[in-house]
Amino acid sequence: MSKKERKARKSKTYKIAVIGGDGTGPEVTREAVKVVKAAAAKFGFKLDLTDYDFGGDRYLRTGEVLPDFAVEQLRKHDAILLGAIGHPDVKPGILEKGILLRLRFELDQYINLRPVKLYPGVDCPLKNKGPKDVDFVVVRENTEGLYTGSGGFLKKGSEDEVAIQTSINTRRGVNRCLRFAFDLTRRRNKKKTLTLVGKTNVLTFAFDLWERAFHEIGEKEYPDIKRDYAHVDATCMWMVKNPEWFDVLVTDNMFGDIITDLGAMIQGGMGVAAGANLNPQGVSMFEPIGGSAPKYTGKNVINPLAAICAAGMMLDALGETEAAEAIEKAVMTVTGTKLKSLAAGQMGYSTSEVGDLVASQVG
Ligand code: IPM
Ligand code: MN
């Protein structure tokens, strides 16, 4: 960036809501903030950070999962940086549904963007695969499918109990997700191939809609993008056997959830896997995709790279492309030349030291 450009941008201030959340969430978020601050100083933008204490501890203290003011407050920010949600003393589902999913839904973050990229020096569990083989992006629909909470019980607790959970797929929701994925494939400009991941052989309603929309939109609006299709089970197989075949994958909420955990493993584990909950027209939220890892809480051993990468994605979404690239480059230098492992407690450095390493590379 030239001096003039930097000056012109000087006044830019981003209002960021920081939700450390549960377990190791606050520790990794602290390092992500450290790196974002280093990037701000280097690339000439300002940060207006506000901490929110939403999470398990607050819930146990107040009985309130997400206070009423939360969504309206968060809406007034440019972005949200989230650590982790999930507390060992709270029944599974309450916080996940009441905080994470509620924010995704209410802020209409209809894309969950999850890059699967193996960085230099990172151990890959796949035999004979390296950074050039593992580099694709999953576009997961983030507001529909099995996640809407649509369904119910009949005769609950009896021998005749019925449980129904409905997958909701709207043409509008599918269209906007597909268009985002096509645009991204075009922008990435790699293999120019978008793969729809589904289960057309069994989910003959839901994926019939997805497949029709995929080809209609692709044919009319993205003739330059190659369209491919893979069943979700086969996708799991290819992700292990031939991950280099993939460029951009697009899929529904549930399948996207599942295949991105597999994706995280082939890119070196939860320590490095980041995700973005995007509302391209609104407020987006950025998070490491691993959980709150309660057993490591407060020990300064958890890997903060996923949170740092999520913060990089945030800067990219805010238009600070150079800063985002610098963060990714710094992370790659740190994985390539410093860390012994990406696993908690085995990095050869503490959580805060890894943050320092990345921040000093950025700044
Ligand atoms: C994820 C998580 C969440 C999801 C849970 C915690 C509700 O697994 O972000 O992938 O299923 O979306
Ligand atoms: Mn998940």
Side-chain angles (χ1 to χ4, degrees), residues 34-238:
K34 188 189 279 176
V35 171
V36 171
K37 281 183 176 163
K42 168 95 184 256
F43 293 95
F45 56 88
K46 293 204 182 77
L47 298 163
D48 174 2
L49 303 164
T50 310
D51 274 303
Y52 290 93
D53 66 349
F54 310 141
D57 287 334
R58 183 192 169 110
Y59 170 67
L60 291 171
R61 211 173 55 237
T62 65
E64 204 174 36
V65 185
L66 204 58
D68 288 335
F69 68 82
V71 177
E72 284 326 302
Q73 283 277 319
L74 292 173
R75 252 188 237 289
K76 294 183 192 140
H77 291 76
D78 294 309
I80 305 165
L81 198 54
L82 174 69
I85 296 295
H87 193 292
D89 302 334
V90 181
K91 194 174 157 239
I94 295 180
L95 301 171
E96 291 85 344
K97 247 188 157 160
I99 301 178
L100 183 62
L101 298 183
R102 184 160 166 220
L103 291 179
R104 286 178 184 168
F105 278 78
E106 291 218 22
L107 298 171
D108 202 21
Q109 294 161 343
Y110 59 90
I111 298 296
N112 197 325
L113 188 65
R114 298 185 162 184
V116 178
K117 186 166 173 178
L118 180 65
Y119 287 143
V122 174
D123 249 346
C124 176
L126 307 180
K127 207 166 113 192
N128 300 330
K129 300 291 177 193
K132 66 173 194 335
D133 304 302
V134 182
D135 182 8
F136 59 90
V137 184
V138 177
V139 176
R140 164 186 174 187
E141 200 291 321
N142 211 30
T143 52
E144 298 195 340
L146 283 165
Y147 276 70
T148 61
S150 162
F153 294 111
L154 268 177
K155 304 181 190 171
K156 190 176 178 186
S158 80
E159 286 283 304
D160 299 321
E161 177 163 355
V162 180
I164 296 176
Q165 195 98 38
T166 311
S167 174
I168 305 280
N169 300 264
T170 69
R171 183 66 199 234
R172 198 176 86 87
V174 169
N175 280 355
R176 66 183 183 175
C177 178
L178 288 170
R179 285 202 173 92
F180 180 92
F182 275 116
D183 282 331
L184 175 69
T185 312
R186 193 178 265 168
R187 249 183 295 129
R188 255 171 79 83
N189 200 17
K190 295 228 158 120
K191 292 180 194 297
K192 293 233 183 183
T193 302
L194 178 62
T195 305
L196 172 66
V197 175
K199 191 74 187 170
T200 50
N201 51 351
V202 175
L203 306 181
T204 52
F205 307 120
F207 278 97
D208 187 274
L209 190 163
W210 275 87
E211 200 178 30
R212 269 183 289 120
F214 181 59
H215 290 299
E216 278 172 32
I217 292 174
E219 196 180 322
K220 258 196 227 126
E221 300 170 34
Y222 303 90
D224 52 321
I225 304 301
K226 193 170 158 246
R227 274 166 276 139
D228 199 359
Y229 170 82
H231 292 320
V232 64
D233 45 355
T235 301
C236 291
M237 176 180 75
W238 299 130

